[in-house]
Amino acid sequence: MTDFGIKEALLELGLKDINNGTSTGSDNFSNGEIIESYSPVDGKLIGKVVATSKEDYEKVMEKATKAFKSFRDIPAPQRGEIVRQFGNKLRELKEPLGKLISYEMGKSLQEGYGEVQEMIDICDFAVGLSRQLNGQTIPSERPMHVMREQWHPIGVVGIISAFNFPVAVWAWNTALAWICGDVCVWKGSEKVPLCSVACQNIIAGVLKENNLPEGVSSIINGDYNVGEMMTNDTRMALVSATGSTKMGRAVGTTVAKRFGKSLLELGGNNAIIITPTADLKVVVPGAVFGAVGTCGQRCTSTRRLIIHESVYDKVRDAIVGAYNQIKIGNPLDENNHVGPLIDHDSVNTYLAAIAKAKAEGGNVLVEGGVLEGEGYESGCYVKPAIIEADNHFEIVQHETFAPILYLMKYAGEVENGIAQQNGVAQGLSSAIMTNELKEAEKFLSYSGSDCGIANVNIGTSGAEIGGAFGGEKETGGGRESGSDAWKVYMRRQTNTINYSDELPLAQGIKFDL
């Protein structure tokens, strides 16, 4: 793997030699268990980190809560300057960090670089926002009174991120949280722990250069047990969790019991509706990238194509033809389109889903399977599959984090296609391919797509940081990144100021003493 500069990338990111393994530099930590990170690209051990024990967690939280008391008093534009410096460091380290993401997670190198670019973009967004954390002035019904609304930092923000975007989702949260005056404690996925270590190394250097406490940004390592420490901790004002719907139910319930705040970004079961007027030059790349990008391991991956019966055969043949051109292999080789699944458990889930679809009556158009032989030694490379299915199939109703695309028909008006698209429990991303204005507007109307993201003539996958990202129903209802998503990281306060010499009461109430 050194041919692709992985060894050099690790060293540039402050990680030790790949042949000796790497650690978190955890001299301040106790005797937590060792987590080993193996690359799904070639099955090799990249390095090791120390899992966070209860004692370690307490040390982290003590530093974080102490840091918050000073960090919140720094003017927001100055906090924005810290984020600006962080973004510039990411620009300098885009290549090595992108390579690490690709090698540890398995996504294509282009996608690895793209993920770092998302981090840079959200930093730029946050820097501008640091001068725009505006409240509002509200007319009062009482003379010589004014009402104002302002926003204050909430405290310690806990971030639980998933393996598929090992750094970008953290940045979406933390860049906004920092400019809002919060401090962050991040539990990255135990499947990609070195990515979080690398990011912590970068921000730790920025904090040190600016004489800021290290508790402004902390990482913890481990499985769901460490996550439970966060969700049960009343010192965690907000827990932002990305993962499965099952995980989200546990997080949301636990945090709600202690009246904390949660931001949930959970599963998706995303569909593209393809109408009779759809342009195949748009349909094919949107559908294929949506289905096979990141080996089908995006929460916005396209799982279902809902195709009008009048164009079904033409669209089906075009999609199948495009699948024959997909190159699967080492994601660090930019000639390849698709890398491996994250691990062997995911491979088994993929195989079980295909078997289930067949058992329910699905017709396989592009056969799946595990790739073997030279270059596929990790055992995590699989073939993207296409299966004709019905929307009511049990397996179709559930999200499978793998490159399996279900094709199905709709007849009649576009409302019938929209009903199929909405006919699942998840509500993250959706799209329609049409050149008919009325169909597009129906899709975007109150009675149209029930998802948090609804696109016209682009796929379900790929979101810009300027818009709020998130979904409805079993996707959890959270919103991250752009628009006014910053408000979740702050607490709202309403102020009323009386600048008269009397005390008139609201609603004209008289209370004479």
Side-chain angles (χ1 to χ4, degrees), residues 49 241 278 283 335 380 484 505:
V49 302
V283 168
N335 293 311
C380 296
D484 65 348
L505 303 178

Side-chain angles (χ1 to χ4, degrees), residues 332-382:
L332 292 163
D333 182 345
E334 296 188 61
N335 293 311
N336 293 322
H337 301 111
V338 178
L341 288 171
I342 185 65
D343 56 23
H344 293 286
D345 287 341
S346 292
V347 173
N348 292 334
T349 298
Y350 155 85
L351 294 173
I354 292 176
K356 176 70 172 174
K358 290 179 179 179
E360 291 191 68
N363 177 41
V364 177
L365 298 177
V366 176
E367 190 71 53
V370 180
L371 292 168
E372 298 177 345
E374 186 178 355
Y376 304 127
E377 289 85 359
S378 72
C380 296
Y381 291 89
V382 301

Side-chain angles (χ1 to χ4, degrees), residues 163-366:
F163 73 86
N164 59 332
F165 280 84
V167 297
V169 172
W170 167 71
W172 286 3
N173 282 272
T174 201
L176 297 186
W178 285 334
I179 62 103
C180 289
D182 301 321
V183 301
C184 298
V185 175
W186 175 26
K187 190 196 90 65
S189 170
E190 63 272 25
K191 296 183 179 184
V192 284
L194 301 185
C195 285
S196 57
V197 175
C199 290
Q200 180 64 15
N201 286 346
I202 297 169
I203 186 58
V206 173
L207 295 175
K208 185 175 182 180
E209 290 171 3
N210 288 273
N211 296 313
L212 290 172
E214 61 181 17
V216 170
S217 178
S218 305
I219 62 170
I220 51 181
N221 305 306
D223 57 14
Y224 71 94
N225 292 296
V226 177
E228 287 179 351
M229 296 180 200
M230 301 170 72
T231 57
N232 284 293
D233 193 341
T234 57
R235 295 168 294 182
M236 285 277 183
L238 168 70
V239 176
S240 176
T242 303
S244 68
T245 296
K246 178 181 178 181
M247 181 273 286
R249 282 199 179 97
V251 170
T253 301
T254 302
V255 175
K257 283 180 179 179
R258 60 175 177 82
F259 298 105
K261 297 174 68 176
S262 59
L263 191 168
L264 302 176
E265 297 287 0
L266 311 176
N269 196 348
N270 316 296
I272 300 176
I273 300 170
I274 302 172
T275 73
T277 64
D279 186 343
L280 277 182
K281 295 192 300 295
V282 176
V283 168
V284 173
V288 174
F289 175 73
V292 307
T294 323
C295 202
Q297 296 172 115
R298 292 184 173 214
C299 49
T300 55
S301 290
T302 304
R303 310 290 178 198
R304 299 173 292 145
L305 291 188
I306 302 170
I307 308 167
H308 193 272
E309 60 180 2
S310 66
V311 293
Y312 182 83
D313 291 349
K314 179 172 65 174
V315 173
R316 176 199 60 202
D317 293 346
I319 297 294
V320 170
Y323 265 52
N324 292 329
Q325 303 173 48
I326 294 172
K327 296 179 180 178
I328 307 166
N330 189 321
L332 292 163
D333 182 345
E334 296 188 61
N335 293 311
N336 293 322
H337 301 111
V338 178
L341 288 171
I342 185 65
D343 56 23
H344 293 286
D345 287 341
S346 292
V347 173
N348 292 334
T349 298
Y350 155 85
L351 294 173
I354 292 176
K356 176 70 172 174
K358 290 179 179 179
E360 291 191 68
N363 177 41
V364 177
L365 298 177
V366 176

Side-chain angles (χ1 to χ4, degrees), residues 5-321:
I6 292 299
K7 178 179 178 180
E8 292 77 10
L10 289 169
L11 293 172
E12 198 168 350
L13 294 168
L15 305 174
K16 293 180 182 178
D17 191 309
I18 185 174
N19 296 317
N20 297 324
T22 183
S23 70
T24 58
S26 52
D27 295 336
N28 296 325
F29 286 75
S30 62
N31 57 346
E33 296 181 359
I34 299 297
I35 300 173
E36 296 181 329
S37 177
Y38 290 89
S39 171
V41 175
D42 55 15
K44 293 182 179 179
L45 175 67
I46 312 173
K48 306 173 184 179
V49 302
V50 182
T52 302
S53 67
K54 289 184 178 180
E55 294 77 13
D56 301 332
Y57 178 80
E58 282 302 316
K59 293 176 183 178
V60 168
M61 287 303 296
E62 287 174 9
K63 289 183 178 180
T65 52
K66 182 179 179 181
F68 171 64
K69 293 178 181 179
S70 59
F71 191 62
R72 65 184 175 186
D73 291 331
I74 297 173
Q78 292 184 27
R79 299 194 296 261
E81 168 60 17
I82 303 304
V83 175
R84 186 191 68 81
Q85 293 178 30
F86 179 56
N88 285 342
K89 289 290 186 181
L90 291 172
R91 286 178 170 88
E92 295 173 10
L93 295 168
K94 181 176 179 178
E95 182 175 351
L97 184 55
K99 286 183 178 179
L100 173 60
I101 293 166
S102 177
Y103 187 54
E104 189 173 33
M105 186 268 152
K107 64 174 60 177
S108 72
L109 185 58
Q110 300 96 315
E111 292 181 84
Y113 291 151
E115 185 164 350
V116 182
Q117 188 60 50
E118 283 192 42
M119 301 174 76
I120 295 168
D121 292 343
I122 195 63
C123 286
D124 289 349
F125 180 88
V127 172
L129 187 62
S130 68
R131 295 180 181 271
Q132 300 179 65
L133 302 175
N134 304 322
Q136 58 182 328
T137 300
I138 305 167
S140 173
E141 66 185 39
R142 288 167 283 186
M144 303 186 75
H145 282 60
V146 64
M147 295 175 65
R148 296 174 185 159
E149 184 178 85
Q150 60 179 336
W151 297 84
H152 296 298
I154 56 172
V156 181
V157 171
I159 302 165
I160 301 173
S161 63
F163 73 86
N164 59 332
F165 280 84
V167 297
V169 172
W170 167 71
W172 286 3
N173 282 272
T174 201
L176 297 186
W178 285 334
I179 62 103
C180 289
D182 301 321
V183 301
C184 298
V185 175
W186 175 26
K187 190 196 90 65
S189 170
E190 63 272 25
K191 296 183 179 184
V192 284
L194 301 185
C195 285
S196 57
V197 175
C199 290
Q200 180 64 15
N201 286 346
I202 297 169
I203 186 58
V206 173
L207 295 175
K208 185 175 182 180
E209 290 171 3
N210 288 273
N211 296 313
L212 290 172
E214 61 181 17
V216 170
S217 178
S218 305
I219 62 170
I220 51 181
N221 305 306
D223 57 14
Y224 71 94
N225 292 296
V226 177
E228 287 179 351
M229 296 180 200
M230 301 170 72
T231 57
N232 284 293
D233 193 341
T234 57
R235 295 168 294 182
M236 285 277 183
L238 168 70
V239 176
S240 176
T242 303
S244 68
T245 296
K246 178 181 178 181
M247 181 273 286
R249 282 199 179 97
V251 170
T253 301
T254 302
V255 175
K257 283 180 179 179
R258 60 175 177 82
F259 298 105
K261 297 174 68 176
S262 59
L263 191 168
L264 302 176
E265 297 287 0
L266 311 176
N269 196 348
N270 316 296
I272 300 176
I273 300 170
I274 302 172
T275 73
T277 64
D279 186 343
L280 277 182
K281 295 192 300 295
V282 176
V283 168
V284 173
V288 174
F289 175 73
V292 307
T294 323
C295 202
Q297 296 172 115
R298 292 184 173 214
C299 49
T300 55
S301 290
T302 304
R303 310 290 178 198
R304 299 173 292 145
L305 291 188
I306 302 170
I307 308 167
H308 193 272
E309 60 180 2
S310 66
V311 293
Y312 182 83
D313 291 349
K314 179 172 65 174
V315 173
R316 176 199 60 202
D317 293 346
I319 297 294
V320 170

Side-chain angles (χ1 to χ4, degrees), residues 419-449:
Q420 281 197 58
Q421 183 233 275
N422 293 345
V424 294
Q426 308 82 6
L428 178 51
S429 187
S430 59
I432 189 170
M433 299 291 185
T434 181
N435 283 325
E436 173 60 57
L437 177 62
K438 290 182 179 179
E439 290 181 332
E441 291 296 342
K442 287 179 180 179
F443 177 73
L444 300 175
S445 71
Y446 297 134
S447 56
S449 170

